[in-house]
Each structure stands twice: as structure tokens, then as C-alpha cells.
Amino acid sequence: MKKTVHLTAILLLLATFLVACRSSTVSETSTSAESEKKMITVGFSQLGAESDWRSTNTDSMLEALSKENGYTLIYKNGQQKQANQVTALRMFIQQDVDYIVLAPETETGWDFVLKEAKDAGIPVIIVDRRVDVEDRSLYSCWVGSDFELEGTKMAAWIHEYTQFKGIADEDVHIAHIQGTLGSTAQLGRTRGLQNAAREYGWNILAQESGDFTEVRGKEVMSSFLRQYDNINIVYCENDNEAIGAISAIEAFGKKVGPDIENGEIMVVSFDGINQDAMQYLREGKISCIAECNPLHGPRVQALIEMLEKGEEPEKYNYVAETLFSSVSEIKSITVGDKTYDVDIVK
Ligand code: GYE
């Protein structure tokens, strides 16, 4: 009798356990199915990690396309090689992601892989730099900066400043440290300078890529200094290069600053993200920085949300940007019929 009671109790317990197990499995599957349904899978191919701008940009993307915001993000760092980015895109296609986000290293060479994405029915959003493809329908939209405008504004600032100082255009001798050749940021910023140099008759003494890095910026500047003794302006295409260039100039025994009539070498650059560069700006070691905003994460998120709703975003989405300077005399610059205030940083 005792034995039977025991057995019944055990059987009862077992049954309750099984029911409990089953119902918990059912409810688990249904919640995970629900949340999986809502999660959007994004493959993000970042070009590399060359600068402070880039790390801030990566952080912004990872933060916006987070689990909490409903995204399953597959992030790939291209290590500065387009071939790696193409491989990443092919992997995303194979994984059948919902969206591909591409921050391309250089503009050309994307036609084939973007066609593969299109054939697979995966929308592609381009961020930061652009792609130069024959068929623009290969990507949904782009968000980033107007790099040529950044360069044109910087050139206008240099012109205002040299005019204000009474320096003749033919006495403007520029060393130009370019970004990664063939990238939209390089092409636009270089165009902005070259157009102004042609217009005003400035002398661009030398031009070489510093690959947007501090190390290369320093190397390139050291070699310029050994070749030319009349450089009075250094146009760096990002802050990391500027920091490298400044250390090269100081190691060479020259002073950096805006006082070019008295032998200082004036440094200008782009980004405004690197805290050391902002400190140099306050100290007058960098005279002007054209802002380049890297916080594209929420912008890409908004574009994906539009596409999710079946809406068609603008093809090209530009971010508004300013100029930072510690030279308080130049309060604004004019490009075409537009006047831009300069943010005086103290
Ligand atoms: O200015 C530079 C970075 O493409 C806008 O790339 C970007 C540029 C940025 O490495 O610092």
C-alpha cells in the first residue's frame, strides 16, 4: 500500500513536470519566434579603423543598430582593403540579411558585388563615402557629408585669412597631405583646394597621400619639409594627419601657428572629432578645422525604418556642417551666394 502511494505520487509529479516542461517550451518558442520576426538583420561593412573619425563612426553605427533597437547586426571591419569588403558583402548575401550597409573605402569597383546584392533582393545603404557605379539603382540611398563643400569652405577660409593678413596670393605656398586616394573624402577635399588654387593663383608645392593616418601624416610632412623651405600652409585632409604633420614640423625645428608672416607654418584640417586636434585648435597649432560629422548610426537607422515602412528615402542625404577656428577675426566665409558662420573655439 505504502509502495502504491509512493508510485502514484511519483507518477503525478512526473506528469506535472512534463506538462510544465511542455508549456514552458511552447511559450519560449513563441516569444523567440515573435522577437525573431521583429529583429532586422543588417550586415555592416566598415572600411577600417584608420582615424578617430572612423572609430566614432563605428561606435555610432553599433549603438544605433543594436539588439535593444531591434537589430541583429553582423559587423565586419574591412581593414582598409576593398577586397575584404567585397568578401564581407558576399557573406552577407549568403546569409540573406535584410539590409546591407556599406561604408566603402574607395569609390570604384563596386558594380559587380552590388549587382549580386540587388539580384538577391537585398537593399543596400551607402554611408559616409560614395560608390561610383554605372547603375545607381544598385543601392537604395546614401548618407554622408558634402566633402567638396567642406574643401571649398576651407579654401574660402584660407582666402579670407590671407587677405585679412595682407598676404598676396602668389605668396601662399601650400603643402597638401591628401586622404586615401580615390575615396570621396579625398576627392572632394582635394577638389575644393585645387579649384581655389587655380582661381587665386596659390602655389601648391607638393601633394601626397597621408592615408588619413597620423603616422603617414608625419612621414609625408617630414619629406615635404626636407624638399621645400617656403611652405607656409599645410592643408591636411583629416585631423590625424594634422597631428602627425605638427609633430614633424616641430621636430624639424619650426613653429606651427597662424602667424605666417613671421615664419610660422599654418595647419588646417578636417573632422573636429579628435580631442587632441580640438586642443591644438584652441592652442592655435591648428588654425581651422572643417567639421565632418561621423554620427551616422541614427541616420542609417532612420533610413532603414523608412524602407521597412515601404517609403522611399531621398537618394542622397547630406549632413550640415560648420567650420571651427581659434582665429577670432574671421567670423564668416562666403561660398557662392551662401554665407557660413565660423564657430570660434576658445
Ligand atoms: O574625414 C577621415 C576618415 O570618410 C569622412 O575618413 C571620412 C574620412 C574622415 O578616415 O578622418
Side-chain angles (χ1 to χ4, degrees), residues 47 50-54 80 128-129 145 147 150 180 183-185 189 211-212 237-240 270-271 292:
L47 65 94
E50 71 287 357
S51 65
D52 291 75
W53 189 98
R54 187 66 49 200
Q80 256 61 48
D128 172 26
R129 303 174 186 173
S145 307
F147 302 111
E150 288 175 357
T180 301
S183 69
T184 318
R189 290 167 188 170
D211 267 331
F212 286 127
E237 289 187 0
N238 83 343
D239 285 340
N240 292 77
F270 295 80
D271 284 353
C292 184

